[in-house]
Amino acid sequence: PASSMEELVSLCKRRGFIFQGSEIYGGLQGFYDYGPLGVELKNNIKAAWWRANVYERDDMEGLDSSIIMHRMVLRHSGHEATFSDPMVDNKKNNKRYRLDHLVKDQKADVVDKVAQGIGEDAANFPAVVAALVRQPARASEALKAAGVRDPFSGEVGDWTEPKPFNMMFKTTIGPVADDDSYGYLRPETAQGIFTNFKNVVDSTSRRLPFGIAQIGKAFRNEITPRNFIFRVRELEQMEIEFFCVPGTDEEWHEHWLERRLSWWEAQGVPRSKIEILDVPGEDLAHYSKRTYDLMYDYPTLGHEEIEGIANRSDYDLGSHTKSQAELGLVASVTENNDSIAKLTIPHPETNKPVVPFVIEPSAGVDRALLAVLSEAFTKETLENGSERIVLKLRPHLAPIKVAVIPLARNREEITTVARAIKAELQGLGLGRVLYEDSGNIGKAYRRHDEVGTPYCVTVDFDTIGQSEGEDRGLKDTVTVRDRDTLAQERVRISELAGWIREKLR
Ligand code: ATP
C-alpha cells in the first residue's frame, strides 16, 4: 500500500489519473477532473458496484435521477434546515474554517485547552465539537483562550462565534430570477430515489423487501475542501436505499454491513484496513436511527469515512409523503402540505399500506478510488537492485487490461500483427486494450506497471519469423509479460485471446 498521500497525488498527476479542475485558470478548489486513466478506473469501480448490487441480486432496481431538484425536495428532506457544518471566521484575516477541522488540526495541548474551556473531555472529540456548536459565545472565548492558530497564517486567531453554514449549492432555474425560481444541486443521490419510490413500485410491481440503486454526482459546498479527492465539492456517490418491513430493519442493516465489507474486499480493500464505527447517538444525522461508518485507513489521513451504512427508519418516505398523520410514522417528521403522493406500499402479510423502513449503504466513488489506488500501490526492489512502482489493481479494475507493444515501430510486418492482436483482444469486451507504440519497450513496461496494466503483449522479430536458429520455432507467438510476477511467457497468437480471457476472468 501507499505510505503517503503525496505518493498517490504524484502518481495520479504524472500518469494521468486525476488533474486539478480548471487548472489553466489557476484551478478551482474542491473540483477535480479525471484523466484518461482515472475515467477508466472510476468506470470500472462503478461497474463492479453495479454488478454486485443490481445484477447479482434479484431484489434490486437501478435508477438515474436528475441532479437539480425542486427546492421542496430539499426542504422536506430536512436539508434546508440541517445540512450544514459549523463555520468560524478569523477576524484578523477573514479566513473561514470548518470548526471541527480547525480544532482537530491544532496541537494536542491546544485541543485539551479548548475542551476544558467548553467543559468537555478532549478524548471525546465529537462531544467537544457538539458543545462548541451549542454554546457559540463560550466557544469563541474558548478558541481564543486556548490560542487556536490559523492554519493559513500560523498565528493565533481572533475567532468569531461558530455558526452553521449550509452546504447546498443553489441555482436559478429558467430565465426569470424571482424568489421561487431556484432549485438545488442534490447534496446526495438518495433524494432522487425517495422521490421516485412510487414510480419504481408502480412500474415494476415490486413488493417488500427490495432496493433501488443509483450512482451519480452530488454537490456539497464544503467549507474547506482538502486532502486531494477525499473531500471535494463535486463528488460522486454509489447509493442504495433498501426498503423493508418495519421491524426487519435491524436484520437488513447487518446484512448490508456484511455485504458491503465483502464487496470492498473484492476490490482489494481488506477488512483489516476498515474500522466499523457504530456512530454514537449524539453524532447521528437527522434522519438516522443507527449508522455504521466504514472508516478506511487512508495513508497520511488515518481512519476516515469511506462509506456510511445508515438505518434511516421511515424518516425519508415519511417526510415526503402526503397524509402523514394517518400513516403511524415512527420517525418525527415535519409537516408536509406540498407533496401530492402517498408513499406507501402494501405490507407483504396484511396488505395494509405501510411506509417502509430504509437501510442506506452510501459510498463515495472518489473515496473508493483513492482507497483502491492506495491499496494497489506497491514499491518493489527488483533482483537487480532497481526499484519499481507497480499498481497491483484487481484485473477487473485495471484501466488498461492489455497493452500490445510492437517491438519495432516502423516495421510494417510487426505493426500489422500488433494492430490485428489489439483489435482481436479489444473485441473480447474486457475493457480497454491499448496499442502501445510510444517510447522503448523498457519505458512501456515501466509505464504499464505504474498504471496497473495486468498484461503486456509484445510482438517481436520472432513473431514474424525473422530470427535465427532455434528461435525460428517462435513464429506466430508473442511474449506476454505478467505485471505482478514479471514472468514472460510465449503464447501462440491463435491461443492468445483464450489465454487472456481466462487470466482476466
Ligand atoms: P464526512 O463526515 O467525511 O463529511 P459525511 O458523513 O458527510 O462525510 P455522508 O453524508 O454519509 O458523508 O455521505 C456518504 C458518502 O459520500 C461518504 O461516505 C463519502 O464516501 C462520500 N462523501 C461525502 N462527502 C464527500 C466529499 N465532500 N467528498 C468526497 N466524498 C464525499
Side-chain angles (χ1 to χ4, degrees):
S3 57
S4 73
M5 194 63 102
E6 284 81 71
E7 253 172 3
L8 291 179
V9 175
S10 136
L11 175 80
C12 283
K13 166 115 195 170
R14 187 167 73 243
R15 293 301 186 186
F17 282 91
I18 298 166
F19 308 120
Q20 173 71 59
S22 306
E23 193 172 5
I24 64 166
Y25 289 100
L28 197 55
Q29 243 200 76
F31 298 91
Y32 286 91
D33 298 336
Y34 286 82
L37 294 167
V39 63
E40 298 292 340
L41 178 53
K42 209 177 182 210
N43 283 343
N44 292 341
I45 291 172
K46 292 190 277 184
W49 184 92
W50 197 264
R51 259 196 317 274
N53 293 304
V54 182
Y55 296 165
E56 288 171 11
R57 296 182 66 110
D58 293 312
D59 55 0
M60 293 286 298
E61 299 288 351
L63 180 75
D64 182 16
S65 68
S66 73
I67 285 172
I68 294 179
M69 301 189 85
H70 198 293
R71 62 204 165 86
M72 284 305 166
V73 174
L74 284 315
R75 173 164 309 163
H76 289 292
S77 68
H79 285 83
E80 267 189 353
T82 63
F83 193 65
S84 56
D85 276 334
M87 166 181 80
V88 281
D89 290 3
N90 179 3
K91 286 186 230 163
K92 286 183 180 163
N93 58 7
N94 293 319
K95 292 264 172 213
R96 312 201 128 157
Y97 297 97
R98 195 170 132 175
L99 175 68
D100 49 340
H101 290 169
L102 176 71
V103 177
K104 201 173 173 189
D105 291 349
Q106 301 292 313
K107 295 217 169 79
D109 60 315
V110 177
V111 180
D112 282 344
K113 278 189 207 148
V114 173
Q116 264 168 33
I118 202 75
E120 289 287 340
D121 182 359
N124 186 353
F125 187 73
V128 175
V129 176
L132 290 168
V133 170
R134 258 195 329 269
Q135 311 165 67
R138 201 172 154 195
S140 165
E141 288 314 310
L143 297 183
K144 288 183 212 167
V148 167
R149 286 180 187 275
D150 184 309
F152 180 77
S153 67
E155 287 166 16
V156 173
D158 182 10
W159 302 105
T160 61
E161 297 184 3
K163 49 178 185 277
F165 173 77
N166 194 295
M167 290 191 287
M168 283 198 293
F169 283 97
K170 214 175 185 178
T171 191
T172 310
I173 301 171
V176 183
D178 61 24
D179 282 354
D180 291 339
S181 56
Y182 67 90
Y184 293 108
L185 275 65
R186 62 185 181 196
E188 57 177 20
T189 67
Q191 294 307 321
I193 299 183
F194 300 128
T195 53
N196 280 290
F197 174 74
K198 199 97 191 102
N199 289 333
V200 174
V201 170
D202 291 349
S203 58
T204 63
S205 311
R206 282 283 176 189
R207 312 258 300 164
L208 292 182
F210 78 98
I212 302 176
Q214 169 157 242
I215 299 177
K217 294 256 173 140
F219 299 80
R220 299 180 178 191
N221 196 3
E222 297 275 353
I223 301 164
T224 36
R226 57 183 195 167
N227 298 327
F228 194 37
I229 55 168
F230 178 82
R231 186 173 302 285
V232 288
R233 288 176 167 142
E234 176 172 339
L235 54 131
E236 201 160 4
Q237 293 183 312
M238 306 182 280
E239 295 196 300
I240 294 164
E241 304 301 330
F242 194 82
F243 303 99
C244 62
V245 178
T248 64
D249 50 302
E250 294 181 9
E251 234 171 278
W252 281 110
H253 201 188
E254 299 305 315
H255 166 90
W256 280 106
L257 174 63
E258 204 42 46
R259 286 281 300 200
R260 296 301 304 138
L261 286 167
S262 67
W263 184 82
W264 284 111
E265 185 105 49
Q267 313 317 312
V269 182
R271 286 181 192 221
S272 58
K273 296 285 286 287
I274 296 178
E275 247 171 48
I276 303 164
L277 176 70
D278 192 346
V279 180
E282 67 264 28
D283 298 337
L284 287 176
H286 60 276
Y287 50 73
S288 177
K289 172 176 162 186
R290 185 177 189 179
T291 296
Y292 295 125
D293 280 347
L294 306 189
M295 312 292 282
Y296 169 71
D297 190 6
Y298 286 96
T300 307
L301 311 182
H303 286 96
E304 293 283 356
E305 178 179 333
I306 189 168
E307 170 162 359
I309 306 173
N311 181 341
R312 292 173 77 129
S313 73
D314 57 4
Y315 176 85
D316 300 277
L317 293 179
S319 295
H320 287 305
T321 189
K322 68 171 187 183
S323 320
Q324 291 166 317
E326 61 194 57
L327 297 174
L329 298 171
V330 174
S332 86
V333 297
T334 53
E335 195 179 338
N336 189 335
N337 295 315
D338 301 302
S339 170
I340 55 170
K342 202 161 165 183
L343 303 182
T344 60
I345 186 170
H347 189 291
E349 276 137 38
T350 65
N351 258 344
K352 290 215 178 89
V354 60
V355 178
F357 266 44
V358 180
I359 304 300
E360 178 199 69
S362 167
V365 179
D366 313 87
R367 290 184 189 181
L369 189 138
L370 197 54
V372 161
L373 270 184
S374 169
E375 285 301 320
F377 189 95
T378 312
K379 245 186 199 161
E380 282 179 354
T381 308
L382 302 178
E383 272 169 26
N384 65 10
S386 68
E387 200 172 67
R388 74 158 180 160
I389 291 176
V390 51
L391 275 190
K392 296 194 169 175
L393 291 168
R394 298 286 162 103
H396 72 281
L397 296 179
I400 298 168
K401 308 301 176 190
V402 181
V404 182
I405 307 171
L407 197 63
R409 235 181 306 187
N410 38 25
R411 285 293 291 266
E412 213 190 315
E413 307 99 295
I414 288 185
T415 57
T416 307
V417 174
R419 284 196 193 277
I421 291 176
K422 136 90 203 207
E424 188 191 5
L425 297 182
Q426 191 60 66
L428 296 176
L430 297 165
R432 182 155 207 204
V433 175
L434 190 73
Y435 178 81
E436 173 67 83
D437 67 350
S438 60
N440 64 35
I441 182 94
K443 271 213 176 111
Y445 283 162
R446 205 153 57 238
R447 171 172 134 85
H448 284 285
D449 281 348
E450 277 200 24
V451 306
T453 308
Y455 297 102
C456 287
V457 169
T458 304
V459 178
D460 56 18
F461 289 94
D462 294 341
T463 312
I464 56 168
Q466 291 195 4
S467 44
E468 306 290 313
E470 302 206 332
D471 288 347
R472 301 218 86 163
L474 296 178
K475 186 164 184 303
D476 297 327
T477 67
V478 288
T479 302
V480 186
R481 174 182 179 272
D482 183 301
R483 176 195 73 194
D484 296 344
T485 64
L486 296 176
Q488 302 204 13
E489 201 176 314
R490 257 348 253 204
V491 178
R492 300 206 71 78
I493 294 176
S494 58
E495 291 162 9
L496 184 63
W499 192 97
I500 291 283
R501 203 203 322 255
E502 187 58 30
K503 292 281 189 181
L504 290 182
R505 210 159 46 137

